[in-house]
Structure formats: structure tokens, C-alpha cells
Amino acid sequence: MTATATATATATATVGTIGVVLGFTSALAGIVTLAAGLRRGDPRLLRAGRHSVLLVLAGAVVAVAAMEWALVTHDFSLAYVAQNGSLSTPLLYTVASLWGALEGSILLWALVLAGFLVATAHRFRKREADPLVAWAVLTGLVVTVFFFGLMLGPANPFELVAGAVPTDGPGPNPLLQNHPLMAFHPPILYVGYVGFTIPFAFAVAALVTGRLGEGWLLETRQATLLAWGALTAGIVLGGWWSYEVLGWGGYWAWDPVENASLLPWLTGTAYLHSVLVQERRGMLRVWNLSLVLATFALTILGTFLTRSGVVNSVHAFTQSPIGPALLGFLAVVLVTGVGLIAWRGDLLRSPGRIDSPVSREAAFLANNLLFAAFALVVLLGTVFPLLAEAYDGRQLSVGEPYFDEMTMPIGFAVLFLMAVAPALPWRAGGADVLHRRLAVPAWLSAGTMVLAVVAGIRGIAPLLTLGLGTFALAGIVRQVVVGTRARRRSTGEGLVLAVPRLIASNRRLYGGLVVHAGVVIFAVAFAMSSSFGVEREVRLARGESATVGRYEITYLGTESSSTPRKTTVSVRLGVDRGGRQLGVYEPALSRFPGSTQAIGTPSVRSGPVEDVYLTLVAGPQDGDDQVLVGVRINPLVVWLWIGTGVMVVGTAVAAWPSRRRRRPATSPAEVVPTAVPVRAPAEVAS
């Protein structure tokens, strides 16, 4: 490198390090300032502490900008760029390299967390003297200090190369530069992971201040919905990436890292349901706090599994020394959370109780227990092999049969409750009410299963999924129809205006129903694609054809290409159905510099009924113009992605702020004081 280039590289590393130090020290200063303000009841200190989050965000932005500049300009004097960048990597994947390895992913985590804290501080800017908000921001800053601290220690993204600076690098992991979804899946997943810090911070604040009514639930509802929606989208985008990149024809394999993202989703989903019971009846307070604690703790566990190198997975790309730090932080989170819940046990007694097992709150409680059981099954299957290996060195593997057999009954029960619970009244429901609300959906469900059997569908899983899905969708349609009729009678509005205004009048309810509809679509697609897929491998000479299912696959020829980035061999395959040409598809095998294994790129013809999924298993060798092609017929896969889109839309509807001013949902003691010390009298449940 020239002297000018060396100076520029050093400046980039210096600027990035300054950003990390600024974020760390600002978060630390904010913690000290807020603690002092809470102790003295000084609103000026509380205001200053709240403003520290702006400096934290500024530090994160500076650090991320410096790293992206180093990646884009190929500054190989930085160890991170030398290990993950290359001159031949396209710009999209160069930018995405930020979250392709340990240090950059921690940097992204800090940026997203700082953004959430700034949004929280801005939202409650008129309540800067409120101890609840101050404690929540302080808790968020403690989490921020930990992640910035990692970057000042074992996960330093701006470490310089020791010795001679290379002129090029290996580029990102080949699997991370083989599909554009890599640019979107991890950031969206991180928004979901990091977003659950906000409800956790408010739960800690509620426990510390003793304000354990329903106020903190309302304060965090939108942030929780945003985190849940992003995590949902991120998980399914990861499945889509797996489907489009890995070439095995599936989208979910119960991989440990996949499970790590599913676990907080399960507990977060349980929380979103049980919080309705607390808001309506004042029940399940300890349970809700425990779910928030578990969800945040599972995001830390997921980070440990993904970034510590303790599991072998196509999704885990780093070996690192941060595992002990993450486990230590996880232990602190659990001990603190459980200790605070135990300390406030007397104030957490619920004023309400379940009056009848046939009620909406009873159904929500059963739903929660099922989600908790689901999470426990997945957690045991994921962590037990690691514990066994740590204990006596045994290599154990828990595969798909365990997860499928253990989770399938739970999934059916959840689907049933999802169909029944919204139709049940609060407190207690009579037989006449249940008959009126559930008879038609039940008959439609039974009719659907009969028609499915007549159509030739066999198997308990797909038939039950179709029946329960019909039950749920019919219940959703019934609720919308009943609500629309009532609105039209009271307002005289036409149908075109009545439906959107009905949704706007109760976005939370109808947004939730849209989410449920998306879940039904997803569940049916999952059951069908898992039960009725067809798979074959066929060896073809040029011009030869093979029939798989309803399709005829013809080998038309081979093409090769080579760039500094990779060498690719692709085959052209004609796909016909019933004598009609559907197109020419080109699955490929690519070799990247520094990689000993060829990376497959499947070619997928997606349709509303089924996908034709083509992979190149082996190309021509030694002058032999034969290829080995994998062919899978996967039914209804596209509806997985459509169902997820419906779920995200429903989440957005539910989280959209209402124009109406919400009445306080808590007792007067939870109205914001002007400047109250942390030792002020605790607010008891409303």
C-alpha cells in the first residue's frame, strides 16, 4: 500500500473506533445520569440521560458508516475486510458483508438497538420525568453497553491486519453471496431480535418502580408488534433463502440456528395473546412478565448459538471467543429478571380469575401453555446435544423425526384454539352462544375434510390442517360479517365504506384476525408441501427426457462461464406439462475461489398450485455429456410466502396508531408524576 492509502486506511479504522467508543461512553454516561436523576428525583438529570441515546445512535451510525466505507473501498488493512471482502464481490454482497460475520453483525445489532432507544425516547419525550420511562431507557442502555463492550473487546470490527496488508480477500462465505435475499433477511431478523429489548426494558422498569398495572403493556404494544412482525418476516425470509439457495428442496430443517430464531417467536406470540387477558381482566401478570423475560433471554441465546461457533450449521458462519461473554450476560438477565419478579410477588397478585373454562381468557391461557410447551420441546431438542457434548464429549444429533412427532400435536391444538378462542365470550359462554358462533364453521370444516378425502387427499396431518384451517377462516369471516352488519345498521354506510371503517374502528382486533388468516394459509401450505412432495434424481443425455409427476424434463445443453468471482456450470432444462412448453430453466453449480465445495443454485418454476424445483447434482465429466438432475414437485410452496405477507400486513394494521386518544388503562397512581423519586409509593394493580 502507498503511504496515502495507509493513512486513509488508518483514518477509517480510527473513525470507526471513535464511533464505537462514543456509543459505549455515551451509553455508560446515560446510565449514570439516569441513575442519579432517579435517586434525586431531578428532571434535568433525567432529561440529560434520555438525550444520551442520541449520542449512542450517532456513535453506531459513525461506526457502521466507517465499516461500510472500508468494505466498499476494499480497505484490506482492516482484518474484517481482509477476511470477508474481495475485489470481485458485487456491490450488493459487499454491502451485505457487514452482517455476514461476527464483528459486523454485532455492529448491526448495536445500530438497531440504538435506533429503537432513540424512537422510545422520542415517543415519551413529554414524560422525561416519569421513573417508568427513565428506568426503561436505563435498562436499554445497559444492554447497549454490553454490545458496544463486545466491540471494544473480543468482537472488535476495526482491528488492523497484523503484518503485510493483502491485495485481495476471499470474499463472503459463498452461501452468503449466492442470492439477493442475503441483503434483506438478516437485517429484518435483527429488527425482530433487537426489538424485543423494548418490552423487556419496560417490564424491568415496571418491576423496579412497582407500577405493575397494565400501563407498561400499553406503552410497549407497538414496539412488541413491530418486533414480532419483523421476526416473523425474517424467519420466513430465511426459509425462502434456504429454499432458493441450498438446493435441498426444502425450507425448514429444524437446524439449531433456525430453532434459535423460532424460540423467541414462540414466546413472543404467547405474550401477544396473554397480554390481552391482562389488559381485559388484570390476570396473568407474572406469566406475562415471565414471557417477556424469556423472549429477550432467548434472543441472547439465539445470538450465542449463531455467533459463538458452538453449533455446526449452514446458518452459523463464525467461530469466535464471545461465547462466554454472551452466556454470562444471559445469566445476568435471567437472575435479574427472576429476582425482580420474586421481589414484587405480593404486588403481582391478579385481581381477576377465570370464571369458566369455556371463556376467551381460558382459551388464551390454554393457547399460552401450548406455545410454552412448543418452545420447551424445541429448546430441549436444540440445546440437549450441546449439553451432552459439554458434559462428556458425546456427539449427539436430534433430527427432524423428534421435532415433527413432538410438535405436530401441539400445532394442531394451537390451530384449533386459534379458531375457537376469538368466538368465545369473555368470562363465560353459554351453550347457545357457542352453537350460534361455531356451528357453521364446524360444519364447513367437516365438509372440507370430506371433500378432501373424495379428492384423494390422505394422511391425518393434511386432512386435520385443512379442516382446522377452514374452521378458523370461517370463524374469521363470521366475525367480519357480523361486525359489518352491525355497523351498517348503526351508521347506514354502504358495504364499500363499512368494512374499512370497521377495521379502522378496532385495528387491533381486525389486524389480529388478518394475522390469523395468514397463519391458516401458511399452515395449509406447510402441511401440503410437506406431505405430498415428489422427488427424483434422473440421469439424462443431451436431448433425452424424463417424466416426473405431470412434468417432462428435457436436457437441452450445458453452459459454462467464469469470472474472477466464480466459475459456473449450468444446464438448460426444458419443462413441459401435457405437451405445453412451460419454459427453460437453468440450475447450476458454482465454485468460488478458496472454496473446495461446489455451491448449487437451484432453478425453480413457481406456480399457484405447485413448484418444479430443479437442481444440478452432477455436471458432465470427462467428455461424457450426461448430467444428473434432481427434480422435486413441491405443492403450494408459494402460499407460504403469501401467508407470511398476509401476517405482516395484519401486524401493520394492528400496530397502526389510532387517531382516537386512548383513555388511561390504569389507576390514577400510574398517571405520570412531575418529578417523583424512584422510592415513591408503588402503584398497585388496577
Side-chain angles (χ1 to χ4, degrees), residues 250-575:
Y251 41 81
W252 189 264
W254 297 107
D255 179 277
V257 177
E258 293 174 342
N259 296 346
S261 61
L262 178 64
L263 285 167
W265 184 89
L266 290 169
T267 54
T269 304
Y271 169 72
L272 286 174
H273 287 83
S274 64
V275 76
L276 296 172
V277 180
Q278 183 174 344
E279 290 180 14
R280 183 72 177 243
R281 300 291 311 280
M283 298 164 54
L284 304 182
R285 290 176 173 173
V286 173
W287 181 249
N288 282 325
L289 289 165
S290 301
L291 285 175
V292 170
L293 169 64
T295 301
F296 179 71
L298 288 170
T299 65
I300 304 301
L301 177 64
T303 306
F304 168 75
L305 293 174
T306 309
R307 296 306 181 193
S308 65
V310 298
V311 297
N312 294 318
S313 165
V314 296
H315 304 281
F317 301 109
T318 57
Q319 301 289 328
S320 76
I322 70 168
L326 286 168
L327 286 180
F329 184 64
L330 176 61
V332 170
V333 168
L334 291 174
V335 170
T336 303
V338 172
L340 285 172
I341 292 173
W343 177 48
R344 292 297 191 184
D346 290 341
L347 295 179
L348 289 171
R349 293 173 182 165
S350 299
R353 62 183 180 87
I354 294 179
D355 299 318
S356 168
V358 187
S359 61
R360 189 173 300 187
E361 52 266 47
F364 280 161
L365 177 59
N367 172 284
N368 268 239
L369 294 175
L370 289 171
F371 272 114
F374 202 128
L376 181 61
V377 166
V378 176
L379 181 64
L380 287 176
T382 304
V383 175
F384 181 75
L386 303 178
L387 297 177
E389 184 177 359
Y391 178 70
D392 60 8
R394 285 184 300 166
Q395 296 278 345
L396 298 180
S397 176
V398 178
E400 289 188 47
Y402 162 81
F403 290 105
D404 290 342
E405 292 178 15
M406 295 295 290
T407 61
M408 190 179 298
I410 300 174
F412 288 139
V414 168
L415 199 57
F416 172 75
L417 286 176
M418 189 183 75
V420 171
L424 296 175
W426 293 99
R427 296 187 181 275
D432 56 334
V433 174
L434 296 181
H435 182 270
R436 185 171 65 251
R437 296 182 179 183
L438 298 177
V440 172
W443 279 109
L444 288 174
S445 172
T448 299
M449 287 192 286
V450 170
L451 289 176
V453 171
V454 172
I457 294 177
R458 299 293 184 269
I460 293 177
L463 288 174
L464 271 179
T465 305
L466 281 172
L468 292 173
T470 302
F471 194 3
L473 283 178
I476 291 169
V477 172
R478 189 201 70 83
Q479 281 194 270
V480 174
V481 169
V482 169
T484 303
R485 285 176 178 171
R487 183 174 182 87
R488 293 184 69 185
R489 282 196 300 267
S490 62
T491 64
E493 295 171 343
L495 183 63
V496 175
L497 289 177
V499 174
R501 289 182 177 176
L502 175 70
I503 295 173
S505 68
N506 194 342
R507 293 189 178 98
R508 188 175 188 180
L509 169 62
Y510 292 103
L513 293 179
V514 173
V515 171
H516 283 187
V519 171
V520 170
I521 295 170
F522 186 96
V524 171
F526 184 88
M528 295 301 165
S529 61
S530 302
S531 302
F532 299 112
V534 177
E535 181 178 10
R536 277 187 60 192
E537 286 188 357
V538 294
R539 188 173 294 278
L540 301 172
R542 187 187 296 267
E544 190 177 359
S545 299
T547 301
V548 180
R550 300 183 298 160
Y551 299 89
E552 186 176 84
I553 312 299
T554 304
Y555 172 33
L556 302 177
T558 305
E559 294 182 356
S560 299
S561 62
S562 182
T563 67
R565 176 173 165 247
K566 63 181 179 179
T567 300
T568 302
V569 175
S570 61
V571 296
R572 291 182 293 111
L573 301 172
V575 179

Side-chain angles (χ1 to χ4, degrees), residues 576-589:
D576 291 17
R577 185 179 63 200
R580 185 167 66 91
Q581 178 77 25
L582 299 179
V584 176
Y585 297 87
E586 299 185 5
L589 287 172

Side-chain angles (χ1 to χ4, degrees), residues 6-7 139 147 164 176 200 213 216 236 316 362 397 439 446-447 467 510 521 547 594 604 613:
T6 302
T139 304
F147 281 97
L176 301 184
F200 168 75
W216 72 274
V236 178
S397 176
Y510 292 103
I521 295 170
T547 301
V604 186
Y613 190 97

